[in-house]
Amino acid sequence: MRIKRLQEFINEHELDAALITRRENLFYFTGSAPVLGGYLVVTPDDALFIVPELEYEEAKANSKVPVEKFKTGKELYERLSSFRPRKLGIEGKTSFSTVQTLKEKAGAKDFVPIDEVIRDLRIIKEAGEIEAIKAACGIADMAMMAALEEASEGKREREVAARMEYVMKMNGAEKPAFDTIVASGPRSALPHGVASDRRIERGDLVVIDEGALYRHYNSDMTRTIVVGSPNEKQKDIYYAVLEAQRKGVEVARPGMTAKELDTVVRDVIAEYGYGDYFIHSTGHGVGLEIHEWPRVSQTDDTELRPGMVITVEPGIYIPGFGGVRIEDTILITEGGAVRLTRTERELI
Amino acid sequence: MRIKRLQEFINEHELDAALITRRENLFYFTGSAPVLGGYLVVTPDDALFIVPELEYEEAKANSKVPVEKFKTGKELYERLSSFRPRKLGIEGKTSFSTVQTLKEKAGAKDFVPIDEVIRDLRIIKEAGEIEAIKAACGIADMAMMAALEEASEGKREREVAARMEYVMKMNGAEKPAFDTIVASGPRSALPHGVASDRRIERGDLVVIDEGALYRHYNSDMTRTIVVGSPNEKQKDIYYAVLEAQRKGVEVARPGMTAKELDTVVRDVIAEYGYGDYFIHSTGHGVGLEIHEWPRVSQTDDTELRPGMVITVEPGIYIPGFGGVRIEDTILITEGGAVRLTRTERELI
């Protein structure tokens, strides 16, 4: 089905073949994602997965597509050129040097990006994919519980992150979905404050943004706490973000666009007078990549549909003072949306 | 100095400019590596680091090169086109879609790979780089100590890896240098047996391959143990690999080539009759990337020089039976080589 859709694209655009090399797409189309990489060739009516010799047994065991092996680069490019790929579909992230080699050694002349058709397939998650994302979200919940226990006065941000990542892995995660963010005090005003050696102080806002990679699928969640008692301004910001985030999850439904969802969330923050401090988009798709389509932003008119998985993550960042972000991974359903990350949101 | 060498290359090749976008190279040339990326433009006599607005403050604090910010892609490419980069040097890993955009929106016509000059710079580590790698190796030693305690009958491979990665992070590592390998029993015959849910059994060979990323620099080390008492064949393989690895570290010195070092190590394994089971190269450079130049293999004639950091990691892999690999990160010095990973090698 997935490869069939790609073949329709190949035929529509009169390509000789398409070549896929990105790990997440190899997994998506073949079911196998070799550590040393691989080359999936899709022709108008066939497909072949060519992998390094060291990966052959494992690829054969997992791939839905026939597998061949190669020993040397020479052998690989000879095999690729046997498909006579003059007009070749490739991923936009294919490297310049690979494109040069395909020209020189496989006779490729014209290159056509195939990202759009892959995007359209991957943007709607199938049942098995949703199960993996749900499990990844469950692990993120466990890691957040550990963080809420661990984040206290005197602890280093990095120690909190170490504990969270340990919990993820002990619960079956392959690894964190991204560098875990534990941003305390003034650092909480940095939207990407990866855990540092800073010690958490009493009265700090602490933004904790984390996710797990489980069976190739990601999760993404943020919670913010105050260590000790929050002051009025911290509460004010917190409840503005919380209302915006709740509203986003409530209104998200099929038929509205990603941009419209961004607007709803952005408007709540603006009503509270913090519009200038919400300096990023409302969210992004989550799946085989931690950031994928759609972008829940003013630049993406994608219509939300059942099976999409996105984040809703408004934030307010006040330089020198601190920041608050609250984020869930949600699934768009027929009737609206459900939260896949389930940790309590009212934390201060 | 680093940028000056790049400018010499730019002048030699009559480029209008070079554009650097890879994270490790941005850090190498500017001292700053923004999470959201950045664009370093180097011209025959100047340099400018252009970063997303959200990264501006941090980049300005760390970059040795003047910093500018951009809000939108349009703004970025307008600024890039102001350099009139018709003949533009780029990294080989620059993506196809970036190359297309540079053609369409910045007026670039010809692209010249600049990897060689970057390789020649980065292959010799400066004092500060060696300090970071030594510290990363020290953290790897601590993680290996934890692994040797943890790897016992009944433990899951993933649990051992979880503990190791926790120790890394608690000791200041940003993250593991790569997915930690804990490969037990028959899985030890897989050169890339990333820790799985398999439970370790009595009598298993367990290959543990790990490293830490510390202040942007990597370390890499492997040890192999037997849980319980080794049998004769396990010992036989182990001591063949150990002798090959010791010999490699002993003979490595300035003036010999990477290929010659590979041959010395390979010959020891062959003398023991296991030549066909040593199915990868002897090693690789380690630095800002976990795998960089030189390749210690039959295809790399690079002459070893003081300041190079490489691994020596022979292995023997017998399908169905198991495998052994022993690896250290070493520094080439004036007089020979020193091990930077220091964990005991005689473990069975």
Side-chain angles (χ1 to χ4, degrees):
Chain A
M1 172 57 212
R2 293 172 182 178
I3 285 196
K4 209 166 163 224
R5 179 65 199 97
L6 184 53
Q7 286 169 331
E8 285 167 19
F9 180 93
I10 287 170
N11 284 309
E12 283 158 25
H13 291 75
E14 298 182 329
L15 307 182
D16 299 306
L19 176 67
I20 288 173
T21 58
R22 301 263 302 166
R23 199 172 148 76
E24 61 275 11
N25 289 330
L26 292 176
F27 179 78
Y28 188 75
F29 286 105
T30 74
S32 166
V35 174
L36 301 176
Y39 298 78
L40 173 63
V41 183
V42 181
T43 61
D45 46 20
D46 215 346
L48 179 68
F49 190 26
I50 311 172
V51 302
E53 198 176 15
L54 279 179
E55 302 284 2
Y56 184 62
E57 292 304 326
E58 199 152 327
K60 240 184 15 181
N62 296 315
S63 174
K64 288 166 267 182
V65 173
V67 181
E68 273 182 24
K69 59 188 167 183
F70 69 91
K71 279 189 187 176
T72 61
K74 188 162 175 287
E75 213 179 289
L76 166 67
Y77 279 93
E78 274 170 16
R79 188 68 179 99
L80 291 177
S81 73
S82 75
F83 292 95
R84 307 195 176 283
R86 289 181 64 89
K87 192 173 175 187
L88 182 64
I90 58 172
E91 298 151 294
K93 286 190 178 165
T94 305
S95 74
F96 172 69
S97 57
T98 298
V99 169
Q100 293 305 104
T101 312
L102 286 165
K103 281 184 191 168
E104 289 161 19
K105 305 207 169 145
K109 298 256 182 257
D110 299 320
F111 296 89
V112 176
I114 56 172
D115 301 277
E116 208 178 293
V117 60
I118 295 177
R119 168 200 153 124
D120 289 350
L121 279 166
R122 279 180 42 194
I123 203 167
I124 304 296
K125 272 67 180 177
E126 295 170 11
E129 298 185 280
I130 292 168
E131 284 316 304
I133 295 171
K134 274 186 183 164
C137 287
I139 295 170
D141 281 323
M142 289 188 257
M144 189 60 79
M145 201 182 307
L148 298 178
E149 279 170 32
E150 198 79 9
S152 54
E153 195 182 349
K155 275 272 161 66
R156 290 186 194 277
E157 293 171 358
R158 197 189 300 273
E159 291 169 353
V160 178
R163 175 82 197 154
M164 294 169 71
E165 296 178 0
Y166 177 73
V167 168
M168 287 182 201
K169 196 134 191 168
M170 288 299 282
N171 284 286
E174 280 125 52
K175 60 175 122 183
F178 50 89
D179 292 353
T180 299
I181 289 172
V182 179
S184 64
R187 292 192 80 245
S188 62
L190 305 172
H192 299 100
V194 171
S196 77
D197 287 325
R198 184 181 187 279
R199 285 192 196 277
I200 296 170
E201 295 174 15
R202 176 154 295 270
D204 275 354
L205 283 162
V206 186
V207 173
I208 303 161
D209 187 349
E210 53 106 4
L213 183 73
Y214 178 76
R215 298 198 176 169
H216 299 277
Y217 285 86
N218 291 282
S219 57
D220 198 356
M221 170 168 53
T222 308
R223 293 295 183 265
T224 302
I225 59 169
V226 171
V227 174
S229 304
N231 62 36
E232 286 312 307
K233 186 161 182 189
Q234 288 171 336
K235 277 196 232 173
D236 197 43
I237 297 172
Y238 192 90
Y239 283 95
V241 173
L242 182 59
E243 188 178 322
Q245 203 270 353
R246 280 190 198 281
K247 182 116 183 232
V249 176
E250 268 167 40
V251 304
R253 71 170 62 80
M256 83 187 300
T257 67
K259 178 179 174 174
E260 283 163 1
L261 178 55
D262 182 78
T263 301
V264 168
V265 173
R266 200 163 293 284
D267 284 353
V268 177
I269 302 281
E271 278 161 30
Y272 277 86
Y274 292 110
D276 290 345
Y277 301 97
F278 180 15
I279 52 180
H280 55 66
S281 57
T282 289
H284 54 84
V286 176
L288 291 167
E289 288 167 282
I290 182 65
H291 293 121
E292 52 177 57
W293 321 278
R295 308 291 167 181
V296 187
S297 77
Q298 289 298 306
T299 60
D300 192 342
D301 285 317
T302 302
E303 193 179 304
L304 299 183
R305 283 182 291 153
M308 287 186 183
V309 174
I310 60 173
T311 67
V312 176
E313 51 175 310
I316 293 174
Y317 309 90
I318 302 182
F321 176 78
V324 171
R325 181 167 64 256
I326 300 174
E327 171 188 31
D328 284 309
T329 298
I330 69 171
L331 168 68
I332 306 297
T333 61
E334 294 292 339
V338 293
R339 290 165 63 213
L340 302 183
T341 45
R342 308 284 311 159
T343 301
E344 168 73 53
R345 287 174 290 186
E346 208 157 335
L347 290 171
I348 80 169
Chain B
M1 170 56 210
R2 293 173 182 177
I3 287 196
K4 205 161 168 228
R5 179 65 198 95
L6 184 52
Q7 287 170 330
E8 284 168 18
F9 180 92
I10 287 170
N11 284 310
E12 283 157 26
H13 291 76
E14 297 180 333
L15 308 182
D16 298 307
L19 176 67
I20 288 173
T21 59
R22 301 264 302 167
R23 200 172 146 75
E24 63 274 13
N25 288 331
L26 292 177
F27 179 78
Y28 187 74
F29 286 105
T30 74
S32 166
V35 174
L36 301 176
Y39 299 77
L40 172 63
V41 183
V42 181
T43 60
D45 46 20
D46 215 345
L48 179 67
F49 190 26
I50 312 172
V51 301
E53 198 176 13
L54 279 178
E55 302 285 3
Y56 183 61
E57 292 303 326
E58 199 152 326
K60 238 184 15 179
N62 295 315
S63 175
K64 286 167 267 179
V65 173
V67 181
E68 272 183 24
K69 58 189 166 183
F70 68 92
K71 279 191 185 176
T72 62
K74 188 163 174 287
E75 213 178 290
L76 166 67
Y77 279 93
E78 275 171 16
R79 188 68 179 100
L80 291 177
S81 73
S82 76
F83 292 96
R84 309 195 175 282
R86 290 181 63 89
K87 191 172 177 188
L88 182 64
I90 59 172
E91 297 151 296
K93 288 191 177 163
T94 306
S95 74
F96 173 69
S97 58
T98 298
V99 169
Q100 293 304 103
T101 311
L102 286 166
K103 281 183 190 168
E104 290 161 19
K105 304 206 169 146
K109 297 257 182 256
D110 299 321
F111 296 90
V112 177
I114 56 171
D115 301 279
E116 208 177 295
V117 59
I118 295 177
R119 167 200 153 124
D120 288 350
L121 279 166
R122 279 179 43 194
I123 204 168
I124 303 296
K125 273 67 179 175
E126 295 170 11
E129 298 185 281
I130 292 168
E131 283 316 303
I133 295 171
K134 275 186 183 166
C137 287
I139 295 169
D141 281 323
M142 290 188 255
M144 188 60 78
M145 202 183 306
L148 298 178
E149 278 170 32
E150 198 78 8
S152 53
E153 196 181 349
K155 275 274 162 63
R156 291 188 194 276
E157 293 171 358
R158 197 190 300 273
E159 291 168 353
V160 178
R163 175 82 196 153
M164 293 168 71
E165 296 179 358
Y166 177 73
V167 168
M168 285 181 202
K169 196 135 191 164
M170 288 299 282
N171 284 286
E174 279 126 52
K175 60 177 124 184
F178 51 88
D179 293 353
T180 299
I181 290 173
V182 179
S184 63
R187 294 191 78 247
S188 62
L190 304 171
H192 300 99
V194 171
S196 77
D197 287 326
R198 183 180 188 278
R199 285 191 196 278
I200 295 170
E201 294 173 17
R202 176 156 294 271
D204 276 356
L205 282 162
V206 186
V207 173
I208 302 162
D209 187 350
E210 52 105 5
L213 183 73
Y214 178 76
R215 301 201 173 164
H216 299 277
Y217 284 86
N218 291 283
S219 57
D220 197 355
M221 169 168 54
T222 308
R223 293 293 182 267
T224 301
I225 57 168
V226 171
V227 173
S229 304
N231 62 35
E232 287 310 309
K233 186 162 181 187
Q234 288 171 335
K235 278 196 230 172
D236 197 41
I237 297 172
Y238 192 90
Y239 283 95
V241 173
L242 182 59
E243 188 177 322
Q245 204 269 353
R246 279 190 199 281
K247 182 117 183 230
V249 176
E250 269 168 39
V251 304
R253 72 170 61 83
M256 82 187 301
T257 67
K259 178 177 173 175
E260 283 164 359
L261 177 55
D262 182 78
T263 301
V264 167
V265 173
R266 201 163 291 283
D267 284 352
V268 177
I269 302 281
E271 278 162 31
Y272 277 86
Y274 291 110
D276 289 346
Y277 300 96
F278 179 18
I279 53 179
H280 55 66
S281 57
T282 290
H284 53 84
V286 175
L288 290 167
E289 288 168 282
I290 180 66
H291 293 121
E292 51 178 58
W293 322 276
R295 309 291 167 181
V296 187
S297 78
Q298 289 298 305
T299 61
D300 192 342
D301 285 318
T302 301
E303 192 179 304
L304 300 183
R305 280 182 293 154
M308 287 187 183
V309 174
I310 59 174
T311 67
V312 176
E313 50 174 311
I316 294 173
Y317 310 92
I318 302 180
F321 176 79
V324 171
R325 180 168 62 259
I326 300 173
E327 171 188 30
D328 284 308
T329 299
I330 69 171
L331 167 68
I332 306 297
T333 61
E334 294 291 339
V338 292
R339 291 164 64 212
L340 302 183
T341 45
R342 307 283 313 160
T343 301
E344 169 73 52
R345 286 174 289 186
E346 207 158 335
L347 290 172
I348 80 168

